[in-house]
Amino acid sequence: MNLDTIKEIQNKQSYPSVTITLPTYRTSPDNDKDPIRLKNLVSETVNRLEEEFGKRETADIVAEIHRLADSVDHEHNLDGLVIFASAEYSGLFKLPFRLPERLSIEDNFVTRDLVYAMNRSPLYLLTVLSENGSRLFVGRKDLLNEVNAYGFPFSLENVVASASISQDISHVRDQILTDQMREVGDALVEAQKQIPAPIVVVGVDRNIGHFRDGARNSDDVMLYIHSGLSDETEHQLVKNIWPQIKEALDEERQKVFVDLENAIGNNLFVGGLNEIWQAAVDGRADVLVLEEDLKIPAEVSEDGRTLTPLTEGFAQTEHTYEDIVDEIIEKVLANGGRVKFVDNDSLKAINPMRGMAVITRY
């Protein structure tokens, strides 16, 4: 799952839209209970649907939920499972990060857990440069998944360096390497559009030098690791370089607080609930910063411009939301903005009234 997939799912509007999320386990004996927990959650979902909307009216959605649940191969679970089902869309995803056990029946799908999980344990794009070519991995902590897309893996096996008598063959090969690194850099730009994550480049000094010379986005790399580890297995590679990546990711995450302070000084900071909502709706929100567990029940005015916070036990209507934060996230992402999560209470010094803030585009 990537950012485009999330945006596509967020654009689906149908009532009822069912979102089921479940933490799962990769190995036995932990994953032995996954089928039972999923079955119980599906039963709860069916009961709610039939009680609230009628058995006949929800028969197709119920059938699709059962089909998706029955299709799960629990011997090959990852860390999280999500099922989406409505009259117009259904899908099942296995994800390499933990999700809460949750059932939601709304007028759209709840994707906050996915956005949160992707940001809480930050992804990174690891590019491994070697004499034979370049490979790309998506990393989460010390786990790597190879990506065969955007042109990766790049290979030099069939590239032959030819030169005239007056040319140095090594110089020609250097130029070939530099040219390919330009292609690698362009491919990383495309990868970041789908997977908004910082870039880590690992390779020997010579190959990193070619990358710096050739790639147009070489200055945007979060971390260069000068190492001859590029020919090791994935497990050996990430074991050796993860401490450096972790330190760089921690530093990167703290930059959001500097960005917020700068936004205040440049009049690009928004901290009030209605101001944040309007910035999200109007497409002015560039970065939405959220404390991890923030939840705000709210009612949206008929003109869609004003929010009124609600206490628990409110009457459910088409204008009320159990958590308006989900709606804000979706609108920010739909308009090309970014969402960053921070620790609970960490925004108190910057915005004491709310556990969130926005950096606007203008």
Side-chain angles (χ1 to χ4, degrees), residues 346-361:
S346 62
L347 288 174
K348 277 188 174 180
I350 294 176
N351 192 19
M353 299 300 294
R354 294 288 174 194
M356 60 178 167
V358 157
I359 300 172
T360 61
R361 294 188 170 98

Side-chain angles (χ1 to χ4, degrees), residues 40-338:
N40 291 339
L41 203 51
V42 166
S43 296
E44 180 186 348
T45 304
V46 172
N47 290 338
R48 277 191 55 184
L49 283 171
E50 292 180 350
E51 288 176 5
E52 294 180 28
F53 304 95
K55 190 170 184 177
R56 178 179 298 178
E57 290 78 4
T58 57
D60 290 343
I61 298 177
V62 167
E64 191 62 15
I65 291 171
H66 280 301
R67 184 189 70 80
L68 291 170
D70 292 342
S71 72
V72 177
D73 179 2
H74 291 283
E75 292 298 316
H76 296 90
N77 277 343
L78 297 178
D79 303 309
L81 178 73
V82 58
I83 291 175
F84 299 112
S86 71
E88 66 171 33
Y89 176 84
S90 63
L92 180 147
F93 299 90
K94 290 183 176 181
L95 303 171
F97 42 74
R98 304 296 290 171
L99 295 174
E101 185 169 324
R102 179 177 296 175
L103 161 63
S104 174
I105 302 175
E106 305 284 350
D107 59 359
N108 55 9
F109 296 116
V110 175
T111 56
R112 178 184 184 176
D113 293 325
L114 309 183
V115 177
Y116 170 54
M118 290 177 72
N119 285 274
R120 180 170 184 173
S121 179
L123 297 174
Y124 56 93
L125 293 170
L126 176 66
T127 309
V128 180
L129 311 177
S130 73
E131 289 298 321
N132 297 320
S134 302
R135 301 165 71 190
L136 177 65
F137 299 88
V138 175
R140 180 180 296 279
K141 295 185 177 179
D142 57 352
L143 296 174
L144 296 178
N145 290 303
E146 186 160 9
V147 177
N148 294 313
Y150 317 110
F152 289 96
F154 287 84
S155 175
L156 286 174
E157 290 181 2
N158 298 320
V159 177
V160 179
S162 58
S164 65
I165 297 175
S166 61
Q167 288 180 302
D168 183 347
I169 192 69
S170 64
H171 176 75
V172 174
R173 181 171 176 78
D174 284 345
Q175 187 58 53
I176 290 173
L177 282 167
T178 299
D179 291 343
Q180 186 179 81
M181 292 308 170
R182 183 175 297 108
E183 295 180 26
V184 171
D186 291 345
L188 284 170
V189 171
E190 294 305 310
Q192 278 191 307
K193 292 178 182 177
Q194 300 289 323
I195 309 168
I199 297 170
V200 177
V201 173
V202 59
V204 296
D205 291 350
R206 169 187 170 89
N207 292 330
I208 287 180
H210 285 300
F211 183 88
R212 286 185 177 276
D213 290 340
R216 284 180 275 259
N217 57 335
S218 61
D219 290 338
D220 297 331
V221 172
M222 178 184 73
L223 176 67
Y224 285 99
I225 299 178
H226 295 259
S227 170
L229 300 171
S230 56
D231 293 326
E232 291 191 350
T233 66
E234 295 169 24
H235 176 72
Q236 292 172 322
L237 174 64
V238 76
K239 181 180 178 181
N240 283 295
I241 66 177
W242 168 240
Q244 296 177 67
I245 296 175
K246 182 180 184 302
E247 182 178 353
L249 286 171
D250 289 343
E251 292 177 2
E252 191 77 11
R253 195 170 190 186
Q254 291 303 309
K255 288 181 181 178
V256 71
F257 296 100
V258 177
D259 293 340
L260 286 170
E261 294 287 356
N262 290 335
I264 292 173
N266 293 321
N267 293 319
L268 297 175
F269 176 91
V270 171
L273 181 59
N274 278 304
E275 289 77 10
I276 288 173
W277 171 255
Q278 290 163 13
V281 170
D282 295 341
R284 293 188 298 112
D286 185 30
V287 182
L288 170 65
V289 185
L290 291 168
E291 291 183 358
E292 293 176 350
D293 297 325
L294 182 66
K295 182 176 181 180
I296 304 174
E299 181 178 12
V300 182
S301 62
E302 290 191 10
D303 65 2
R305 302 294 295 174
T306 305
L307 299 181
T308 302
L310 300 172
T311 58
E312 292 187 8
F314 62 88
Q316 188 73 50
T317 72
E318 62 178 319
H319 296 297
T320 58
Y321 294 86
E322 292 183 7
D323 188 6
I324 199 65
V325 174
D326 290 329
E327 302 299 313
I328 295 173
I329 289 172
E330 291 178 5
K331 293 184 184 301
V332 169
L333 291 176
N335 287 309
R338 294 166 290 160

